[in-house]
Amino acid sequence: MNWGIFEGLLSGVNKYSTAFGRVWLSLVFIFRLLVYLVTAERVWSDDHKDFSCDTRQPGCPNVCYDEFFPVSHVRLWALQLILVTCPSLLVVMHVAYREAREKKHQERVGKDGGRLYLDPGKKRGGLWWTYVFSLVFKAGVDAAFLYVFHLFYPRYTLPRVVKCHAAPCPNTVDCFISKPAEKNVFTLFMVITAVICILLNLVELAYLVSKRCRECLAERKARAKGMGHRLDWTASSCKQDDLLSGDLIFLGSDVPPPLLPDHARDHVEKTML
C-alpha cells in the first residue's frame, strides 16, 4: 500500500473538514483502522482452526462454524471502514473539481474576468450539500452495520460454548470458540467507537445546518434593512424634489399665491380664533 497517497488523501479530508470532522477522522484512523490492521486480524486469524466440536463426524465442525459465523467480524469491519471513509474522499474530489473549473475559467477569461468560486474549499452551494450527504451516509452506514452485528451476534458478544444440531451432525453437539473473551473485548471496542463516530456525525450535521440557518436569517435581515434604507432614501428624495419644485414655482411666478396672506401673524390669529 502506498502510504504517501493515503496520507495525501487524509490531509485533504482534514483540510476541508470542520473541527468535529477532524475529531471524527482521528477517531476512525487511530482507534478503528489501526486497531483493525494491528490486532483484529491476528485475534480472528485462528477462529476457524481452533473451532472444535465434541464429535468426530466429518463435516460437522465446518457446518456448525458456518451456522454460527455466517460472516466474519473482520470482513464486516473491513467493509464498514471502506464504506465509511469513501464519502470523505468524495468531498475532496468535489473540491478538486471546483478548483479545476476555477483554473479553466481563469485561463479562458483572464484574471480580470471574475471568478467562479471565491474559495473552492468553502462549503457553499453544491459542496455544502455534498458534505451534508457524506455525514448522513457515514452515520447511516455505521448504524446499519451495528444493526447487522446485533442480528448475527446478539449483544455483540460471543459465548464460550454453542449448541449445534445441523446435519451431518448426529445429534446436538457442543462446539467451543477459541479466545471468546479477547474477541468480545475487541468487538465491544469497535462497537463503542462506531457509536461515538455516529454521535460526532450527528453533532457536526446539526452544527452545519444551524450555522447555515443563522447565515440565511442574517442575510434576510440585512436585505430587509437594505430595502428599508432604500425606501427611506426614495421617500426623502421625493420630498426634496417636491419642495424644490414648489420653490421653483413660487420663484418663477410674478404674483405670490393668493392663499398666502400678506401678514402671516394676522392669518395665524384669525385661524386660532
Side-chain angles (χ1 to χ4, degrees):
M1 181 177 182
N2 193 341
W3 289 98
I5 297 176
F6 187 70
E7 183 180 0
L9 291 175
L10 289 179
S11 62
V13 174
N14 192 33
K15 180 180 178 181
Y16 304 118
S17 300
T18 63
F20 299 103
R22 296 186 184 97
V23 174
W24 177 89
L25 182 62
S26 302
L27 189 65
V28 170
F29 182 70
I30 297 174
F31 294 99
R32 296 179 69 176
L33 184 59
L34 290 183
V35 169
Y36 170 80
L37 294 176
V38 175
T39 60
E41 288 186 338
R42 295 181 181 180
V43 172
W44 267 268
S45 61
D46 57 350
D47 54 351
H48 193 190
K49 181 180 65 176
D50 295 339
F51 185 84
S52 60
C53 300
D54 58 353
T55 180
R56 293 184 178 273
Q57 178 67 32
C60 182
N62 293 333
V63 171
C64 293
Y65 180 83
D66 292 337
E67 182 180 2
F68 190 76
F69 292 99
V71 182
S72 175
H73 287 68
V74 177
R75 293 178 178 85
L76 278 177
W77 283 331
L79 182 60
Q80 182 180 3
L81 289 173
I82 291 173
L83 293 178
V84 163
T85 53
C86 282
S88 298
L89 301 181
L90 182 63
V91 174
V92 178
M93 293 173 61
H94 196 164
V95 175
Y97 167 74
R98 298 178 77 173
E99 290 176 349
R101 283 194 63 192
E102 182 63 32
K103 184 179 180 180
K104 290 182 180 179
H105 178 74
Q106 293 295 328
E107 291 176 354
R108 185 173 63 253
V109 301
K111 295 183 178 180
D112 298 333
R115 301 187 61 180
L116 292 176
Y117 309 101
L118 296 177
D119 185 4
K122 194 171 184 179
K123 289 178 282 296
R124 290 291 184 274
L127 184 59
W128 187 87
W129 286 106
T130 302
Y131 198 90
V132 169
F133 169 76
S134 69
L135 294 177
V136 175
F137 186 82
K138 289 185 290 188
V141 166
D142 278 333
F145 272 90
L146 288 178
Y147 179 71
V148 170
F149 270 105
H150 180 70
L151 288 179
F152 288 159
Y153 312 103
R155 295 182 296 180
Y156 306 105
T157 56
L158 300 176
R160 296 181 180 273
V161 182
V162 295
K163 302 290 184 179
C164 180
H165 56 275
C169 297
N171 50 21
T172 301
V173 298
D174 295 334
C175 297
F176 305 92
I177 301 174
S178 64
K179 297 182 289 187
E182 187 177 8
K183 293 178 180 179
N184 289 334
V185 169
F186 282 100
T187 301
L188 293 176
F189 179 83
M190 297 295 282
V191 168
I192 291 173
T193 53
V195 171
I196 295 175
C197 288
I198 292 174
L199 294 177
L200 285 174
N201 288 327
L202 295 179
V203 170
E204 187 176 10
L205 180 62
Y207 167 76
L208 287 177
V209 173
S210 62
K211 182 180 179 181
R212 186 58 182 164
C213 291
R214 290 195 301 268
E215 290 177 354
C216 291
L217 291 176
E219 290 176 359
R220 288 185 179 181
K221 289 181 180 179
R223 194 177 304 164
K225 187 180 294 185
M227 290 295 294
H229 288 314
R230 187 177 301 174
L231 291 175
D232 294 340
W233 180 81
T234 304
S236 62
S237 62
C238 291
K239 290 180 180 178
Q240 291 177 359
D241 293 340
D242 292 339
L243 291 175
L244 290 174
S245 62
D247 293 340
L248 289 175
I249 292 172
F250 178 74
L251 292 174
S253 60
D254 297 333
V255 182
L259 295 178
L260 294 177
D262 295 336
H263 301 284
R265 185 174 300 174
D266 297 339
H267 177 73
V268 171
E269 290 177 357
K270 290 179 181 179
T271 305
M272 291 178 62
L273 292 176

